[in-house]
Amino acid sequence: MSWYGDDFTGSAAVMEVLTFAGLPAVLFLQLPTPDQLARFAGYRACGIAGTARSRSPQWMDDHLPAAFRFLAGTGAPIVHYKMCSTLDSSPILGSIGKAIDIAAPILGCDRVPMLVGAPAMKRYQAFGNLFASVDGVGYRLDRHPTMSRHPATPMDEADVRLHLSRQTKRKIGLIDFVAMQNGKAQDAMASEINEGSEIIALDVIDGISLQACGQLIWENRADARLAVGSQGIEYALVAHWQAERLIDPPAEPPGAGAVDRIAVVSGSCAPETANQIQFAADHGFQPIRVDATHAADPQSWSQEIERTVATALRAVGEGCDPILYTALGPDDPAIAAFNAAVASADREPITERQHISERLGTGLGTILDQILRTANIQRCVVAGSDTSGHATRALGIHALTALAYTAPGACLTKAHSDDPAYGDLEIALKGGQMGSPNYFMDIKQGGRCAS
């Protein structure tokens, strides 16, 4: 199969699921050249890491068609538009509906299955409503402690059909988990088709419904080549393929071994990342705050980059692993300060916010690049879905392959670059809500399976 991810961390999560299921996959960070593509001959899947989640509908019109044409040209029977498992999107930012409207004609799709939930990620959908767990407690998404007040795309509606209907005029249907539990999923699919549904949301709450979703997506691929959703799509397909013995049961995921030093940059506002930073700080890592308000002014931002790099290199010289971060959770006053800096800019607010956010993400990548090169560090982490896109491109990497398992959706990867300095670079891209409290230490140790 092939896929396009609307952010970098989610794109890597797809690669992770497929690779550790025995289907080697490669993730390109931009449309690959023929030579770059040829280097991965024999791989079973390829994807493109994008930044559509933080982009406008106009940007999508300008950039997504080329990506979908490339993916269509791979000949893969399923093309996946990967979105976040918490449905991060709005009509003006990261519109999933807009992406479907662009992709469906290119791929010749009459209908599009949509699977957002992923039980392995603690994401569940029941009767069309999306739920996510935090510390073992399940929340409907519009009451989720993080997503209900997300700084860019706050969720005020948990019903995926109602949420998506704000972004597209296509008719949206549903196959609920009851039909899947009763073996009636295919009948429900036929009914939705007869009623004219163009997008069909799929409930998933457990292994039974997950496998049923995989069967629906696979067996209807001739008329529904485009599938939209989280990495739950790959989990579902793998479950179906294993049940039908189309692929072997997975081997134990590999580890990568420990290293003496790693570097971390974080643009995440999630409380989970804040807990991970605090846990790491309590175990010998050196936290270093990056003042994001400086990103509103190029000259001031350049000076802040220089300051934080110098501070990080001093920490490395003292035997510490540096963690550079812009915020500690959603209540950090730094977020309000950043928003105030954006509001004081002269441009139209949404456009200026995107512009400054890109400068911020690219700057974090520049900081990481200078630390890695100067200190000769060969393993690193970028935390924050939007941050990962801008920061990783600043490193000059053109592709990633999964290397070691650490936590669902946040594996350690091998970077592929034409730059000799990064010939052995290992990097983990972590969404804000992903990973256990000791995640950064897991990365330093090379993954739980290694230990």
Side-chain angles (χ1 to χ4, degrees):
M1 59 186 300
S2 62
W3 76 95
Y4 176 95
D6 70 355
D7 67 35
F8 273 47
T9 58
S11 303
V14 171
M15 172 185 62
E16 167 193 318
V17 175
L18 293 171
T19 299
F20 295 151
L23 301 169
V26 57
L27 176 65
F28 295 104
L29 305 194
Q30 57 188 359
L31 289 177
T33 65
D35 177 65
Q36 290 171 343
L37 192 61
R39 298 176 196 177
F40 299 94
Y43 276 56
R44 304 298 303 276
C46 70
I48 304 295
T51 58
R53 170 180 150 175
S54 59
R55 302 292 190 171
S56 68
Q58 181 59 55
W59 183 95
M60 292 183 173
D61 277 328
D62 294 339
H63 294 83
L64 289 187
F68 288 127
R69 284 193 292 268
F70 167 79
L71 297 176
T74 65
I78 293 179
V79 175
H80 175 193
Y81 182 78
K82 165 66 174 69
M83 61 184 180
C84 187
S85 60
T86 45
L87 210 62
D88 303 40
S89 59
S90 74
I92 61 173
L93 199 64
S95 173
I96 297 163
K98 179 65 174 180
I100 293 173
D101 290 341
I102 294 171
I106 294 174
L107 296 167
C109 296
D110 296 325
R111 64 197 61 87
V112 177
M114 182 174 71
L115 176 59
V116 187
M121 311 295 297
K122 310 300 182 185
R123 309 289 192 261
Y124 312 92
Q125 183 178 306
F127 299 116
N129 284 269
L130 189 60
F131 297 81
S133 294
V134 178
D135 296 330
V137 179
Y139 296 90
R140 203 175 69 190
L141 209 61
D142 56 345
R143 297 176 180 174
H144 189 274
T146 301
M147 291 310 303
S148 63
R149 49 182 180 154
H150 189 282
T153 52
M155 290 295 298
D156 60 3
E157 177 55 66
D159 191 316
V160 299
R161 296 164 294 181
L162 295 178
H163 181 78
L164 193 62
S165 67
R166 301 169 179 172
Q167 304 172 21
T168 180
K169 295 181 179 179
R170 294 173 182 264
K171 184 175 180 180
I172 305 169
L174 172 71
I175 300 177
D176 64 38
F177 72 91
V178 177
M180 296 184 190
Q181 297 277 6
N182 294 335
K184 302 292 185 181
Q186 192 60 55
D187 292 341
M189 173 72 82
S191 177
E192 288 291 347
I193 293 172
N194 289 335
E195 293 177 8
S197 295
E198 299 169 275
I199 301 170
I200 302 174
L202 307 178
D203 271 359
V204 59
I205 60 170
D206 57 12
I208 294 175
S209 53
L210 183 72
Q211 184 177 327
C213 288
Q215 182 175 0
L216 278 174
I217 294 170
W218 185 243
E219 294 184 350
N220 290 278
R221 64 190 183 279
D223 297 321
R225 187 182 182 191
L226 173 66
V228 175
S230 71
Q231 62 266 48
I233 287 178
E234 282 68 36
Y235 281 122
L237 286 169
V238 166
H240 173 63
W241 291 335
Q242 289 174 346
E244 294 296 310
R245 299 185 178 180
L246 298 174
I247 61 174
D248 294 328
E252 185 76 8
V259 294
D260 291 333
R261 195 72 58 232
I262 70 169
V264 180
V265 296
S266 172
S268 170
C269 301
E272 292 84 354
T273 300
N275 292 337
Q276 291 160 350
I277 293 172
Q278 186 59 59
F279 188 96
D282 293 339
H283 290 80
F285 284 63
Q286 179 62 55
I288 301 167
R289 181 179 286 274
V290 180
D291 188 345
T293 61
H294 290 288
D297 176 73
Q299 182 176 356
S300 179
W301 183 226
S302 178
Q303 294 171 349
E304 178 66 2
I305 289 174
E306 183 178 347
R307 180 194 69 81
T308 52
V309 168
T311 303
L313 291 175
R314 283 198 299 272
V316 173
E318 294 168 359
C320 297
D321 302 288
I323 298 183
L324 298 104
Y325 66 95
T326 56
L328 285 176
D331 296 320
D332 192 320
I335 298 174
F338 176 76
N339 290 336
V342 173
S344 66
D346 293 332
R347 303 182 188 181
E348 195 274 328
I350 294 176
T351 302
E352 180 63 9
R353 184 184 185 93
Q354 293 173 347
H355 183 73
I356 295 175
S357 294
E358 288 180 27
R359 186 184 297 147
L360 173 61
T362 301
L364 291 175
T366 300
I367 291 170
L368 182 60
D369 179 59
Q370 293 184 21
I371 294 170
L372 296 178
R373 290 179 186 275
T374 304
N376 193 30
I377 294 174
Q378 296 297 322
R379 185 176 293 176
C380 63
V381 184
V382 181
S385 298
D386 296 335
T387 302
S388 294
H390 302 301
T392 309
R393 284 177 173 161
L395 295 176
I397 299 167
H398 62 73
L400 300 171
T401 49
L403 180 63
Y405 178 83
T406 55
C411 75
L412 182 63
T413 72
K414 174 175 173 52
H416 298 267
S417 171
D418 295 327
D419 187 338
Y422 288 150
D424 296 317
L425 182 64
E426 299 169 358
I427 183 170
L429 307 180
K430 189 196 84 69
Q433 301 174 57
M434 301 303 170
S436 61
N438 61 334
Y439 176 80
F440 297 130
M441 297 186 67
D442 281 344
I443 292 294
K444 185 174 181 178
Q445 294 301 316
R448 292 199 182 101
C449 291
S451 59

